[in-house]
Amino acid sequence: MIGSFIFENLPCRVVFGSGTLAEAKAEVERLGGKRALVLTTPQQEAQGKSLGASLGPLYAGIFPGATMHTPIDVTTRALAAMKACEADCVVSLGGGSTTGLGKALALRTGVNQLCIPTTYAGSEMTPIVGQTENGLKTTVRDTAVLPETVIYDVDLTLTLPVSLAATSGINAIAHAVEALYARDTNPVTSLMAEEGIRALAGALPAIAARSDDREARTEALYGAWLCGVCLGTVGMALHHKLCHTLGGTFDLPHAETHTIVLPHALAYNAPAVPDAMARISRAIGSPDASQGLFELAKRLGAKTALRDVGMPESGIDRAADLAVTNAYWNPRPLERNAIRDLIARAWAGEPPVAVKTVA
Ligand code: NAD
């Protein structure tokens, strides 16, 4: 039965397909841009330069210094680059790190963004930017940082290594999983969530089997878009909080941490969210949602233990303390010892189990 709900449609123009990068110049013009600064990571600089060449007279320059966690000092240097080339819009080409830099610039200058994602992180669909200064990560939610236009070009994702496609894809699935049991869940976002999980869970094994499977790459990017919309339109819960805490405290890699933690966080919440569990099971084609997601990660060859991505065993108790420090909404109340158990299992790479309520 459908009850009352609020659904806020975030304004963003989406151009999706193969070869859509060729639309970049027209899309910059559509935004009224006359001088575009291209943003990339150092690894994607060459790709950024060739995009710049395709922009012709609209190309103002490139800043190839985007890096993980959007450090403030990098944003300061990018602001100087913007000023030096008199840019009036930015074109970010890359994963969540590059998108984050474009958002940080928009937050400070109000500049229009054309975003061209090349991973499945989904940041391009959210009004959220996380920034770091002196090792501390803070998150800002402001519609000013939402990119005006997004070009999804499947061709750009063909170079995404299979291992990164796997973890980035499960990172996207995590947005949709938590959207299905969000406090402000609504039937429209849930439709996108289930469809996003279905598309990615089907496509990722096909990509792992043949990395140039264009049809699977298309399905995966479509799924990532839907999952990104979920992240942008409803609030997240335990899983995202845990990953944020673990990533920030132990400097763990973003997408891999999401991949390892997701089955365990879901197993924790399972008793409180039977409808979400049923929808996730249906979307991934597995009788048990958390077990099915664990199996999926293993099948994709992804790491399944936090100890294998650099978390010390001594950090388990600290992470459990931090996870319950600042109260936040979760469908199942936060129980410190049960959360410690789930972190310990994720640390060791054990399969998820429904964690018992500790009195
Ligand atoms: P990333 O952007 O850090 O990219 C990882 C590496 O892969 C980089 O070296 C990049 O250049 C390279 N790469 C990207 N696409 C490629 C491709 N198609 N082919 C070859 N190499 C490619 O990784 P990510 O997982 O996309 O983003 C993680 C960051 O995004 C984190 O800092 C996270 O906090 C942030 N994020 C933010 C939001 C939000 O809503 N604010 C949402 C999701 C993620």
Side-chain angles (χ1 to χ4, degrees), residues 145-270:
V145 308
L146 187 72
E148 280 68 18
T149 306
V150 173
I151 293 181
Y152 288 106
D153 188 338
V154 176
D155 301 0
L156 298 175
T157 65
L158 290 169
T159 55
L160 190 63
V162 165
S163 59
L164 202 62
T167 54
S168 187
I170 296 182
N171 178 197
I173 289 177
H175 309 329
V177 162
E178 292 226 293
L180 284 167
Y181 56 65
R183 176 165 44 175
D184 48 354
T185 184
N186 64 75
V188 182
T189 303
S190 294
L191 268 180
M192 292 193 244
E194 192 174 335
E195 173 69 352
I197 297 170
R198 183 208 58 74
L200 277 159
L204 296 177
I207 292 170
R210 195 163 64 83
S211 86
D212 64 348
D213 184 333
R214 210 166 255 281
E215 206 179 310
R217 292 276 187 180
T218 305
E219 276 277 307
L221 191 58
Y222 161 72
W225 165 42
L226 294 175
C227 293
V229 176
C230 294
L231 180 65
T233 49
V234 295
M236 298 286 115
L238 176 69
H239 169 76
H240 280 75
K241 168 74 177 182
L242 272 179
C243 291
H244 187 92
T245 302
L246 291 166
T249 312
F250 307 107
D251 198 25
L252 306 185
H254 178 83
E256 284 181 303
T257 304
H258 272 267
T259 301
I260 296 165
V261 172
L262 183 62
H264 301 278
L266 185 59
Y268 178 90
N269 279 334

Side-chain angles (χ1 to χ4, degrees), residues 2-348:
I2 294 175
S4 314
F5 63 89
I6 293 174
F7 173 73
E8 191 174 350
N9 215 3
L10 296 172
C12 177
R13 175 178 163 87
V14 170
V15 179
F16 186 98
S18 162
T20 45
L21 188 64
E23 304 300 320
K25 183 163 179 275
E27 292 299 330
V28 169
E29 277 166 353
R30 200 173 180 278
L31 287 172
K34 304 256 182 299
R35 296 187 58 75
L37 176 68
V38 174
L39 309 173
T40 66
T41 58
Q43 294 81 358
Q44 289 179 286
E45 181 174 0
Q47 221 177 354
K49 283 188 169 153
S50 97
L51 167 63
S54 77
L55 296 177
L58 302 181
Y59 180 49
I62 183 164
F63 179 82
T67 184
M68 272 210 305
H69 309 311
T70 329
I72 301 277
D73 59 307
V74 172
T75 304
T76 306
R77 281 192 281 119
L79 276 170
M82 249 183 95
K83 207 167 162 193
C85 69
E86 296 175 9
D88 62 5
C89 67
V90 294
V91 181
S92 39
L93 174 76
S97 298
T98 309
T99 306
L101 177 59
K103 289 171 150 183
L105 295 175
L107 184 67
R108 287 161 180 78
T109 63
V111 75
N112 280 339
Q113 304 166 72
L114 166 60
C115 182
I116 309 173
T118 60
T119 70
Y120 306 135
S123 173
E124 66 283 357
M125 284 294 134
T126 80
I128 305 160
V129 59
Q131 308 180 90
T132 47
E133 189 169 27
N134 303 325
L136 268 184
K137 188 161 181 175
T138 51
T139 303
V140 178
R141 191 180 185 104
D142 188 329
T143 44
V145 308
L146 187 72
E148 280 68 18
T149 306
V150 173
I151 293 181
Y152 288 106
D153 188 338
V154 176
D155 301 0
L156 298 175
T157 65
L158 290 169
T159 55
L160 190 63
V162 165
S163 59
L164 202 62
T167 54
S168 187
I170 296 182
N171 178 197
I173 289 177
H175 309 329
V177 162
E178 292 226 293
L180 284 167
Y181 56 65
R183 176 165 44 175
D184 48 354
T185 184
N186 64 75
V188 182
T189 303
S190 294
L191 268 180
M192 292 193 244
E194 192 174 335
E195 173 69 352
I197 297 170
R198 183 208 58 74
L200 277 159
L204 296 177
I207 292 170
R210 195 163 64 83
S211 86
D212 64 348
D213 184 333
R214 210 166 255 281
E215 206 179 310
R217 292 276 187 180
T218 305
E219 276 277 307
L221 191 58
Y222 161 72
W225 165 42
L226 294 175
C227 293
V229 176
C230 294
L231 180 65
T233 49
V234 295
M236 298 286 115
L238 176 69
H239 169 76
H240 280 75
K241 168 74 177 182
L242 272 179
C243 291
H244 187 92
T245 302
L246 291 166
T249 312
F250 307 107
D251 198 25
L252 306 185
H254 178 83
E256 284 181 303
T257 304
H258 272 267
T259 301
I260 296 165
V261 172
L262 183 62
H264 301 278
L266 185 59
Y268 178 90
N269 279 334
V273 296
D275 291 349
M277 294 300 284
R279 291 185 82 152
I280 298 161
S281 290
R282 188 164 65 196
I284 63 175
S286 165
D288 181 274
S290 45
Q291 191 62 38
L293 286 170
F294 184 74
E295 296 298 332
L296 176 66
K298 281 214 303 198
R299 198 167 146 210
L300 298 175
K303 289 184 179 140
T304 52
L306 290 170
R307 69 171 161 201
D308 293 340
V309 294
M311 180 174 165
E313 187 170 14
S314 58
I316 296 174
D317 275 300
R318 180 139 174 250
D321 290 339
L322 288 170
V324 296
T325 302
N326 297 318
Y328 53 93
W329 186 85
N330 191 59
R332 175 176 168 187
L334 302 175
E335 296 157 23
R336 199 262 175 206
N337 290 343
I339 288 176
R340 191 211 180 271
D341 282 356
L342 92 78
I343 298 171
R345 297 188 79 83
W347 182 82

